[in-house]
Amino acid sequence: MATRADKQPPVPAGPIGVTVLGATGSIGRSTLDVIARHPERYRVVALSGHRQVEQLAEQCRRFLPDYAVCPGPEEAERLADLLRAADLSTEVLSGVQGLERVASLPQVEQVMAAIVGAAGLAPALAAARAGKRILLANKEALVMSGQIFIDEVRHGKAELLPIDSEHNAIFQCLPANFAGELAAVGVRRILLTASGGPFRTASREDLARVTPAQACNHPNWSMGRKISVDSATLMNKGLELIEACWLFATGPDVVQVVVHPQSVIHSLVEYVDGSVLAQLGNPDMRTPIAHAMAWPERITSGVGGLDLFDIARLDFEAPDTERFPCLHLAEQAIRRGETAPAILNAANEVAVAAFLDRRLAFDGIPRLIEQTLARVTPHPANRLESIMADDAAAREVAESLLQESQT
Ligand code: NAD
Ligand code: MG
C-alpha cells in the first residue's frame, strides 16, 4: 500500500507512461476517458483486450500506444491487420507473456490492472516486481494471493493504489502518516459500504428466478458482467472484505459491511476519538481512477459535483447474509486463511460463468461455492504454485458439481 510519508509529488520530465490492462472493459474505458482529459500528463504505452479486437484497434487508433496485447495468435493477427490498415506502428503481443511484458516496460510508470478475474493476477504481479504504481481494480488478484502480492509490492518498491471505489474511499479517509498499521494512526473500524445490489429487497422465491439480464442491471453502477453478478449476490462485498484486509493490513473483525443503497458514501473510517470520516461522490469510477493516477495531487475526472439536495437522504442497513450467503462464505474463507480465498474466488468464477450461461440458477451460486469449499482442502498460500494448484482444483470440483446437478 502506498504511504504518503515517503512520497514527493512527482515531477515528470514528460507525460507519465501508462499501461491499461483490460482496456476494452468498463474500468479500462473509464481510465482512457480520464487519460484523454490530460494528454499533457499521461501517455498510453500499452493497451490490452481479450475478445474485442475491433474495439482494441479503435482504442489504438485514438491513443497510439507502443504495444497492444491480445489473448492469442489468432486475435493478434486480426489486430495487426487492422492496425496495418490504419497505418499504425503499434506492436502487437499476445498471451500472458505479452501482458507481463507491457506491465513491466521501463517507459511505463503506472499500470491499470483492470482485467477481470484470476487472469489478471500474473500481469499485476509483474507490475509489482517491476516497481510500478499499480492502480488495482482487479480485486480477484489480491483475494487469491494477498500475502504474495503485498510482499512483491514491498520487494519491488512498487506502489499499490486501490481503484475499487470503497477501498479508494478508505485510502482517502486515512491520515497522511498511515504506514500500514491502522491502530498506530488511531483507526478503530473500517465501514465498508455496499449498495445491496439490484435484489436488496427481493424475496428468496424471487432470487431463485433471477435472470442474467436482471442481475447485470445494477441500480447505481455500470460495470462488467462478472462484477455485476458479484454485486447482486453480495460476493463482490465478500471479495472486497478480503481485499480490505490485505490493503489495510487488518482482519475481518475491524471491517464492518454497511448496506447503503444510494452508493453516495463510498466507505468510512472510524477513529478512536469517535470521529468518522467518509468519502462521498457520484457513483462514477472515473473519480477513484483519477484520484489514484494523480495521487497525491488532484486532477479533473469528468465527474460532476454532488447535488446533496437532489440526493436528500442517505440510508443504512445491515447486510442480510441469509438471503445473500456469499458475504458470509467470503468472511469464513478469510478467517480460514491459506488458499481458502483462492478456492472461494475460483468457485465463484465458475458459478458466475455458469449463471451467465444459464446453466445455474442465481441462488445456486452460493450453494456451488459452499460445496466446492467443503471439498477442496486449502494449503499454505506462501507459493504461487500452491495457489494456482488449488485454484485449478476448485474449478475442476465446481465444474463436476455443476455437471452432476444437471444430470
Ligand atoms: P469488464 O468485463 O468490463 O472488463 C474486463 C476486461 O478484462 C476487458 O478488457 C476484457 O477484454 C479483459 N479480459 C477478460 N478476460 C480476460 C482474460 N482471460 N485475459 C485477459 N484479459 C481478459 O470488467 P470491469 O467491470 O471493467 O472490471 C474489471 C475489474 O475491475 C474486475 O476485477 C472488477 O472486479 C474490478 N472492478 C470493477 C468496477 C467497475 O465499476 N466496473 C469497480 C470496482 C472494481
Ligand atoms: Mg467496489
Side-chain angles (χ1 to χ4, degrees):
M1 190 75 205
T3 57
R4 272 160 262 207
D6 56 10
K7 195 67 203 164
Q8 297 297 317
V11 192
I16 294 169
V18 185
T19 282
V20 185
L21 302 172
T24 53
S26 166
I27 293 285
R29 292 193 307 271
S30 291
T31 306
L32 291 176
D33 184 278
V34 172
I35 290 175
R37 292 167 193 276
H38 302 280
E40 71 304 330
R41 189 175 177 119
Y42 300 107
R43 177 175 89 84
V44 175
V45 176
L47 295 172
S48 93
H50 200 50
R51 306 244 178 262
Q52 311 85 333
V53 176
E54 303 280 340
Q55 196 192 337
L56 187 56
E58 182 51 41
Q59 292 179 337
C60 289
R61 281 193 282 271
R62 174 118 195 257
F63 291 94
L64 309 173
D66 302 344
Y67 299 90
V69 190
C70 287
E74 205 179 292
E75 292 88 353
E77 209 168 297
R78 268 175 50 218
L79 181 66
D81 285 345
L82 290 168
L83 297 182
R84 243 190 321 271
D87 217 13
L88 294 185
S89 58
T90 302
E91 190 177 329
V92 179
L93 306 174
S94 65
V96 179
Q97 280 175 338
L99 294 173
E100 289 180 334
R101 180 156 164 223
V102 296
S104 44
L105 291 166
Q107 67 269 43
V108 168
E109 283 161 77
Q110 303 195 357
V111 176
M112 168 53 76
I115 290 174
V116 58
L121 175 59
L125 285 176
R129 276 184 222 110
K132 307 303 184 192
R133 173 176 292 197
I134 305 165
L135 311 164
L136 187 73
N138 177 215
K139 64 194 87 184
E140 295 93 341
L142 203 54
V143 167
M144 290 174 73
S145 70
Q147 191 62 60
I148 292 178
F149 202 113
I150 296 294
D151 288 347
E152 293 283 20
V153 166
R154 200 167 298 135
H155 293 152
K157 298 194 168 35
E159 286 178 312
L160 185 56
L161 283 149
I163 294 299
D164 219 337
S165 56
E166 297 78 1
H167 306 74
N168 184 271
I170 294 161
F171 181 63
Q172 293 199 44
C173 295
L174 287 173
N177 60 339
F178 173 66
E181 206 189 321
L182 291 176
V185 291
V187 172
R188 187 156 56 197
R189 273 194 313 169
I190 285 174
L191 301 165
L192 185 71
T193 55
S195 69
F199 313 123
R200 184 174 55 88
T201 57
S203 67
R204 274 173 189 278
E205 297 69 43
D206 290 342
L207 288 179
R209 288 191 295 267
V210 160
T211 65
Q214 289 168 327
C216 290
N217 188 17
H218 195 279
N220 307 337
W221 298 93
S222 150
M223 309 180 286
R225 283 163 72 76
K226 193 263 179 182
I227 184 177
S228 295
V229 177
D230 285 347
S231 298
T233 61
L234 286 204
M235 180 54 94
N236 185 49
K237 215 44 58 182
L239 299 177
E240 289 185 0
L241 170 70
I242 301 173
E243 182 185 16
C245 290
W246 288 114
L247 282 174
F248 306 111
T250 192
D253 291 334
V254 175
V255 185
Q256 181 174 349
V257 174
V258 178
V259 174
H260 162 48
Q262 290 92 353
S263 298
V264 168
I265 297 181
H266 299 307
S267 277
L268 314 91
V269 174
E270 182 185 284
Y271 288 84
V272 286
D273 61 4
S275 299
V276 179
L277 303 191
Q279 187 259 356
L280 286 73
N282 287 318
D284 186 321
M285 291 306 292
R286 291 176 301 175
T287 296
I289 291 168
H291 170 265
M293 290 186 76
W295 180 82
E297 297 178 9
R298 296 271 180 178
I299 56 171
T300 56
S301 65
V303 180
L306 201 57
D307 186 339
L308 287 174
F309 300 119
D310 194 29
I311 292 159
R313 56 179 284 179
L314 300 173
D315 295 311
F316 305 97
E317 59 194 59
D320 179 347
T321 51
E322 292 203 351
R323 273 180 312 133
F324 300 102
C326 284
L327 178 57
H328 183 58
L329 292 172
E331 189 182 329
Q332 281 179 318
I334 182 82
R335 288 190 194 283
R336 169 66 182 79
E338 302 193 315
T339 55
I343 295 166
L344 170 99
N345 177 66
N348 182 54
E349 287 192 25
V350 171
V352 171
F355 167 69
L356 288 171
D357 275 356
R358 295 180 171 273
R359 292 195 294 142
L360 181 67
F362 184 77
D363 60 353
I365 296 174
R367 266 201 303 279
L368 187 67
I369 299 166
E370 188 170 18
Q371 288 169 348
T372 307
L373 279 164
R375 292 195 196 189
V376 183
T377 309
H379 295 94
N382 51 0
R383 288 170 49 247
L384 203 54
E385 293 73 25
S386 335
I387 292 169
M388 296 320 294
D390 286 354
D391 171 281
R395 284 171 203 269
E396 203 173 302
V397 166
E399 278 296 348
S400 68
L401 284 166
L402 257 178
Q403 270 158 28
E404 271 170 38
S405 70
Q406 276 158 0
T407 50

